[in-house]
Amino acid sequence: MTADSAARDSAAKDSAASNDNAAKIARSATLITVAPTGAELEKAAVPALPVTLDELVTTAKECAAAGAAQIHIHIRGADAKPTLDLGRLKDTVHAVRAATDLIVQLSTGGAVTDPYTHRLAVLDARPDGCSLTCGTVNFGDDVFMNPWGFMKELYAKTQEYGVVPEFELFDFGHIAALHRLLAELGPPAGGHVHCDLVMGVPGGMPGDAATLVQAVSALPAGATWSATGIGRTTLPVLLAALAAGGHLRVGMEDTVTFARGRAVTSNAELVERAAAVAALAQRPAMSPADARALLGVPDHRG
Ligand code: KMH
Ligand code: ZN
């Protein structure tokens, strides 16, 4: 055996060992991502929504204590409206990293009105991870635009910057586009494919157990996945995801109703509920350190 082939052999064994380790972590624990704010709700209508940096950091700390390992962030401006202002994004990444050990994932979806250039520039805030939606979808009365050329450019930038993408899948066509992206551009930063099924959006796939099982069966081999159900599909999707061995995303971006007739009072209570059900399912909430190992996210905290 030459030195080169011995080195390749050893790298392949390391990679196989780390895949085995990731698979073991994924089987024995549940990655909980909290999506606390989103871009659609108005603070005036939902006072518990975290919109300032202070509110976001407080929420992040509470959710980390309740069992979240990752936070999916949309930020707001001084007027509480959605923004992709780069300075604010950088401050946010810095502040959440300083206050918690959560994986900091920035949204590149933004609001339906955000231009592609601003959505690409989100990566310049150098987060740990980012969302990457794999296709256009009707989004209530709006359209959430993710044409192929934009997806490709965004994905190439995640690879260049070493930002770990989470592939957001709102519909079955998005799964086909994900296969195409991986085939054309290769594996993501971190080397592991992790997806998030976003279910129950009016215009996307429905949020029910049968659809979830079908979607999971179409994912790339070896991929891990989370699921979130919008609005009243939150609980059916949460229960189906745990039953099918998946991970969870919860938060006020996706639902502001805790139970019939009872509004969500904080993101932390959604994380607490998810962690309690995950513990019942014998796959308790995953630590941020294990989530980093699973997703291939380096720890950038100083
Ligand atoms: N606000 C939606 C238009 C993402 O964060 O990447 C897009 C969204 C997806 O929330
Ligand atoms: Zn989002």
Side-chain angles (χ1 to χ4, degrees):
M1 188 183 265
T2 64
D4 269 4
S5 68
R8 271 199 305 275
D9 192 44
S10 150
K13 279 187 185 137
D14 284 354
S15 159
S18 97
N19 281 344
D20 283 355
N21 190 32
K24 211 150 108 212
I25 294 167
R27 273 198 305 273
S28 58
T30 303
L31 166 64
I32 300 177
T33 300
V34 63
T37 308
E40 282 72 38
L41 296 169
E42 297 209 2
K43 178 75 170 173
V46 187
L49 197 71
V51 296
T52 67
L53 185 52
D54 276 357
E55 286 170 349
L56 184 67
V57 168
T58 300
T59 297
K61 286 196 221 164
E62 290 170 358
C63 291
Q70 173 164 254
I71 185 164
H72 167 83
I73 298 178
H74 292 251
I75 62 162
R76 301 293 177 102
D79 56 359
K81 303 260 183 268
T83 178
L84 293 179
D85 178 83
L86 189 55
R88 276 184 184 266
L89 285 170
K90 286 181 177 166
D91 290 347
T92 302
V93 171
H94 182 76
V96 176
R97 271 195 192 138
T100 73
D101 53 2
L102 294 172
I103 297 173
V104 178
Q105 180 192 90
L106 290 183
S107 166
T108 63
V112 289
T113 46
D114 284 320
Y116 300 130
T117 47
H118 294 191
R119 292 171 58 191
L120 287 165
V122 166
L123 297 194
D124 297 330
R126 302 285 178 168
D128 298 317
C130 70
S131 55
L132 193 162
T133 298
C134 291
T136 294
V137 63
N138 282 314
F139 195 79
D141 294 341
D142 297 308
V143 181
F144 177 31
M145 294 293 295
N146 296 281
W148 173 247
F150 169 70
M151 268 175 68
K152 241 178 125 166
E153 199 176 340
L154 178 57
Y155 186 54
K157 191 164 175 179
T158 64
Q159 291 172 313
E160 184 192 339
Y161 280 33
V163 173
V164 175
E166 178 172 291
F167 300 101
E168 308 285 330
L169 309 169
F170 289 65
D171 215 340
F172 282 83
H174 295 192
I175 303 177
L178 169 61
H179 282 276
R180 185 178 172 204
L181 198 63
L182 297 173
E184 290 195 17
L185 293 189
H192 177 73
V193 175
H194 182 75
C195 309
D196 182 42
L197 303 172
V198 185
M199 309 184 73
V201 169
M205 63 184 147
D208 57 50
T211 307
L212 181 138
V213 168
Q214 251 190 308
V216 169
S217 71
L219 295 179
T224 52
W225 54 277
S226 304
T228 186
I230 305 302
R232 68 187 56 185
T233 70
T234 291
L235 280 172
V237 168
L238 182 149
L239 295 168
L242 282 174
H247 303 274
L248 304 175
R249 177 175 120 171
V250 295
M252 294 175 77
E253 174 168 344
D254 300 336
T255 186
V256 287
T257 302
F258 192 82
R260 200 163 293 145
R262 204 289 239 166
V264 171
T265 57
S266 71
N267 280 284
E269 72 173 353
L270 291 170
V271 175
E272 268 161 28
R273 178 170 69 180
V277 185
L280 257 180
Q282 302 290 297
R283 285 177 53 229
M286 189 180 289
S287 69
D290 278 351
R292 284 178 194 277
L294 171 66
L295 303 175
V297 177
D299 195 340
H300 296 293
R301 290 168 308 137

